[in-house]
Amino acid sequence: DSRAYNGEPLVVGSGKSSRTVMLVSTPITYSGRFLGMIASVVDMEFLIQRLQEIDRGGLIPYVVDSEGRLVTGVNPEYATGQDMKNLEIVKNFVEQGGKAQMVAATREFSVGPGKKKTVMLGTYSPVTNLNWAVVVQKPRDEAYSSVFEMQRTARLLAIFAVVLSIGV
């Protein structure tokens, strides 16, 4: 078809030797005439390493395609190709379609079965030329823990100030 092609990410190998890869190709044309293709298998290890760095920072990162399928991530609960549209943040990205050009607002959504749901904060950043999004999420309680600590400290200082004022 003389078009560039970005294949679906897939896992090759098994166990510790498994790799997430994808096929990309681009046509070679001269004066509008198709001459051939240049194709490459791209190892996604560089992307996985970046996601691991983000994960060490306390966020849960992963990459999804325009259909909401997992491209790659570091959470062992998620597998390459898995449908992630059950997560509200991913569903929001998919519903935006080609209109998602910038970072979406941070949203709250729940993850988990039944009564064991965890409220999460999440956001995504579209990768427009691949129709992907980088999604990061974190449990809401962890995300707001410093805010809760500041509120508690402010209350204690206010109580202390009132008691001191009464004493004076």
Side-chain angles (χ1 to χ4, degrees):
D1 291 344
S2 298
R3 293 183 293 150
Y5 173 76
N6 293 323
E8 298 297 322
L10 58 115
V11 178
V12 294
S14 62
K16 292 188 183 225
S17 66
S18 67
R19 309 291 277 190
T20 302
V21 298
M22 76 181 265
L23 175 69
V24 295
S25 64
T26 189
I28 301 171
T29 58
Y30 180 75
S31 298
R33 190 171 147 242
F34 176 75
L35 299 176
M37 298 289 288
I38 294 179
S40 176
V41 175
V42 179
D43 188 339
M44 306 293 269
E45 185 61 26
F46 70 96
L47 179 58
I48 293 169
Q49 288 174 355
R50 292 288 297 138
L51 294 177
Q52 288 170 337
E53 290 172 16
I54 294 167
D55 185 59
R56 284 191 290 272
L59 297 170
I60 302 168
Y62 50 94
V63 179
V64 296
D65 66 13
S66 61
E67 301 296 317
R69 292 180 306 255
L70 184 72
V71 173
T72 191
V74 295
N75 190 329
E77 294 177 29
Y78 305 144
T80 298
Q82 178 178 339
D83 185 2
M84 303 292 285
K85 287 190 301 277
N86 61 324
L87 300 176
E88 201 171 311
I89 193 77
V90 175
K91 187 163 79 171
N92 183 263
F93 166 70
V94 171
E95 288 172 354
Q96 292 290 316
K99 294 178 269 182
Q101 298 295 319
M102 332 191 289
V103 174
T106 300
R107 300 182 185 276
E108 286 189 11
F109 59 98
S110 298
V111 175
K115 294 182 180 180
K116 292 190 175 194
K117 288 190 184 281
T118 302
V119 178
M120 304 289 274
L121 287 179
T123 190
Y124 64 84
S125 179
V127 182
T128 53
N129 57 338
L130 292 171
N131 292 323
W132 291 357
V134 177
V135 182
V136 291
Q137 64 190 43
K138 185 172 192 164
R140 182 183 64 186
D141 291 344
E142 287 180 31
Y144 289 145
S145 65
S146 60
V147 173
F148 296 149
E149 182 63 29
M150 286 189 297
Q151 287 175 336
R152 192 171 62 86
T153 302
R155 278 190 221 109
L156 289 174
L157 288 174
I159 290 170
F160 177 71
V162 168
V163 169
L164 184 63
S165 295
I166 291 171
V168 169

